[in-house]
Amino acid sequence: MGRKVTQVDFGAPELPRDKNVAAYCRVSSGKDAMLHSLEAQVSYYSSLIQGRSGWEYAGVYADEARTGTKDTRKNFVRLLEDCRAGKIDMVLTKSISRFARNTVTLLETVRELKEIGVDVYFEEQNIHSMSTDGELMLTVLASYAQEESRSASENQKWRIKKNFEEGKPWSSTLLGYRNVNGRYEVVPEEAETVRMIFDWYLEGMGATAIRNRLNAMGIKTRLGNKWSRSPILKLLRNYAYTGNLLLQRTYRENHITKKCIINQGEKPMYHATGTHEAIIDMDTFNRVQEEIRRRAEQFKHKEGQKSQTYPFSGLVRCGRCGKNYVRSGAPAYRTWTCRTRRKEGLKNCGADIIPEDELFRLTAEVLGGEVTEDAVRDKITAVRAGENRTLVFCLKNGKETVKQWKEHEVAHVCTEEQKRQISLKNSGRKRTEEERRKQSERMKEYWKSHEFTEEQRRRLSEKKKAYWNDPEASDAHRQKLSRLMKEMRAGETAAGKEGQDG
């Protein structure tokens, strides 16, 4: 029997591919030396990875954060997302404390990356997370790092407490003052702005109207930004403007969560009087606080009545300005609108208005079932509204799903004949250019001859406040205005017809 020889083709040997290597670095603002600054670390790791054969440069992820205890670091989260997507095989970092000072967070992150085959190398400790004894060493060293964070937090609390006992302010960013050697000194031009805000509020203006006036006048905040409602309300409640200090009104829960809690007696409070020059006298400050309480009572929910929440309340964020979306629109057509666009207008944010039924439809696709508040909160952490009518659903498992909502078709409810009738009706109300010019001249002459003294302005302001505080008078006046407008329009229509007949 003859031998049979068969050739087996194994193909070309598979060459090992280069390892995708990235680096993560973090600095604490204002604490690290120049040698270990963010720029120096980025440059160092970029050169290290690109100069090593067998390594493919996958980028440097850098954060500037005050602590490593929080998991909300933007680029740290982006690094984990790229690791899950298979873009990275190995992560370099300077030390355990730069990666995370929370032992639980560190071990959870390293174990997750280890499961998907991503190695983390800590240079300072010379530890690879994929090694057999890596996790044991990480547990021990991370505990030291967490204890170091706790010790630093306790030292900071002790220093703050000593300042409180001596009546020294903690904040250095208070409009109207500068903190000079532990004492507030008045900045005259900023102090004038503070006084104007208090005066305007007592004259009846709200936080929104004050914000608009300050921005129109070109007056900036302490940090050089435009004004918004929140800083104005915070300024109006600030007791420090009376020349006194009420210290430790809030405190941090612990060195890991860093959650700020209002002091309800859990910690001692310190009342220091006459610590600095007052910008606002105590009587004015008390009247403003009383006015804030009075206005708040008007919008307070009745006893037993709860404010209504929706599945998407506080969940949908604008991709342009970062503010939350709020529910708006008529009952027949509910929509969700960016808070900036709704409060400050299209010129400040041009984000799209999302139809509520489209938001529900797309959420149901993402959840794979009914849209309820519990179902949304259990699976979705945020919904980011982007360009071109896109919604990015950020899920709790770390993944993101992109959906595109549809614009509603406009239904034409008027027939052509109805449109023609409406056009004929409105044509009788339109004024000619000559009529507009005469009206403008009459108004100019009117205001030239009507100059108000300060006393007249004061009386007029008090009269207006009394009027708007009387709902019955306001309703009666609105009805009267409506009747007068209807009579005026009817008269203009009749005059227009007579002119055409003539």
Side-chain angles (χ1 to χ4, degrees), residues 68-74 76-77 80 102 105 108-109 256:
T69 56
K70 292 185 179 180
D71 58 358
T72 54
R73 291 167 283 166
K74 181 180 177 181
F76 183 76
V77 173
L80 297 181
N102 183 340
T105 302
E108 285 179 351
T109 305
I256 295 176

Side-chain angles (χ1 to χ4, degrees), residues 135-149:
E135 183 165 327
L136 175 61
M137 293 296 295
L138 285 174
T139 304
V140 174
L141 294 172
S143 299
Y144 278 111
Q146 183 170 326
E147 182 61 23
E148 180 190 356
S149 176

Side-chain angles (χ1 to χ4, degrees), residues 26 95 137 159 188 204 220 283 321 324 347 358 368 385 408 496 502:
R26 177 183 65 84
S95 66
M137 293 296 295
R159 186 167 68 88
K220 302 293 184 181
D283 179 59
C321 67
N324 283 347
K347 63 181 180 180
E358 280 294 288
H408 277 203

Side-chain angles (χ1 to χ4, degrees), residues 88-102:
I88 299 171
D89 301 313
M90 182 177 178
V91 178
L92 306 180
T93 188
K94 180 185 174 184
S95 66
I96 290 173
S97 62
R98 296 293 91 189
F99 201 69
R101 288 187 181 177
N102 183 340

Side-chain angles (χ1 to χ4, degrees), residues 208-226:
T208 302
I210 293 173
R211 175 203 66 192
N212 294 340
R213 181 176 287 188
L214 289 171
N215 290 333
M217 294 170 66
I219 298 174
K220 302 293 184 181
T221 64
R222 169 73 172 80
L223 300 177
N225 302 318
K226 281 190 172 183

Side-chain angles (χ1 to χ4, degrees), residues 230-288:
S230 181
I232 291 170
L233 292 172
K234 190 175 179 181
L235 182 148
L236 290 169
R237 294 188 178 100
N238 201 323
Y239 182 63
Y241 288 118
T242 63
N244 309 303
L245 293 173
L246 187 58
L247 303 170
Q248 195 155 286
R249 289 179 294 179
T250 60
Y251 64 94
R252 299 288 183 184
E253 185 178 39
N254 55 54
H255 68 288
I256 295 176
T257 64
K258 304 288 184 182
K259 183 179 178 182
C260 186
I261 298 176
I262 297 175
N263 189 359
Q264 301 286 1
E266 298 87 354
K267 305 281 184 181
M269 295 179 71
Y270 303 88
H271 185 207
T273 59
T275 57
H276 54 279
E277 182 183 348
I279 294 177
I280 302 298
D281 62 84
M282 188 60 74
D283 179 59
T284 301
F285 181 81
N286 289 334
R287 284 194 291 128
V288 166

